[in-house]
Amino acid sequence: QVQLVESGGGLVQAGGSLRLSCAASGRTFSNYFMGWFRQAPGKEREFVAAITRSGGTTHYADSVKGRFTISRDNAKNTVTLQMNSLKPEDTAVYYCAARRTYSSGTYYADGLFDYWGQGTQVTVSS
């Protein structure tokens, strides 16, 4: 089992920044491929970003590419999502997720992630 706890959400004006963190406990953190997803009201959950076990490879949704940065610190068991130039359409509950396996062709598939955090709300005002 892996327990994930997100933090760092809040209310920010458009153009602002937020930094989300996800603290992991339980199994060896460095064994897991990590991702961030989000779900806006009335919409399906969508992929945001992901990072491989070593941190050497990252993936981003087109909608956040160039604005968001995912990183991890395996010594501190944390994964971080730095969000810059935020837009109102980034408003959502953001979830951290962990997955034992990795495939370059399915990194975005939420159904393949094994563990999820409780989510943190991000609200971007216009």
Side-chain angles (χ1 to χ4, degrees), residues 59-111:
H59 302 282
Y60 296 94
D62 288 343
S63 59
V64 307
K65 203 169 291 183
R67 300 188 298 122
F68 291 11
T69 302
I70 188 172
S71 61
R72 69 188 295 164
D73 185 336
N74 287 340
K76 295 183 178 179
N77 291 356
T78 58
V79 60
T80 299
L81 186 68
Q82 177 67 44
M83 305 186 295
N84 298 328
S85 302
L86 283 162
K87 305 174 181 180
E89 50 263 44
D90 294 319
T91 295
V93 177
Y94 283 70
Y95 297 91
C96 172
R99 176 177 159 180
R100 288 183 292 261
T101 61
Y102 168 69
S103 166
S104 60
T106 62
Y107 59 83
Y108 55 86
D110 60 346

Side-chain angles (χ1 to χ4, degrees), residues 2-125:
V2 175
Q3 292 78 42
L4 303 171
V5 178
E6 302 96 336
S7 62
L11 173 64
V12 64
Q13 288 189 331
S17 298
L18 279 176
R19 186 179 180 88
L20 304 184
S21 292
C22 174
S25 61
R27 298 294 180 91
T28 304
F29 178 69
S30 58
N31 288 344
Y32 291 85
F33 176 72
M34 300 299 297
W36 285 96
F37 292 79
R38 66 187 182 187
Q39 188 167 20
K43 295 187 177 182
E44 293 188 353
R45 186 166 57 192
E46 64 174 1
F47 169 77
V48 175
I51 188 166
T52 53
R53 297 178 185 88
S54 67
T57 299
T58 56
H59 302 282
Y60 296 94
D62 288 343
S63 59
V64 307
K65 203 169 291 183
R67 300 188 298 122
F68 291 11
T69 302
I70 188 172
S71 61
R72 69 188 295 164
D73 185 336
N74 287 340
K76 295 183 178 179
N77 291 356
T78 58
V79 60
T80 299
L81 186 68
Q82 177 67 44
M83 305 186 295
N84 298 328
S85 302
L86 283 162
K87 305 174 181 180
E89 50 263 44
D90 294 319
T91 295
V93 177
Y94 283 70
Y95 297 91
C96 172
R99 176 177 159 180
R100 288 183 292 261
T101 61
Y102 168 69
S103 166
S104 60
T106 62
Y107 59 83
Y108 55 86
D110 60 346
L112 297 180
F113 281 76
D114 302 296
Y115 304 102
W116 293 83
Q118 82 290 348
T120 185
Q121 176 70 47
V122 171
T123 303
V124 184
S125 63

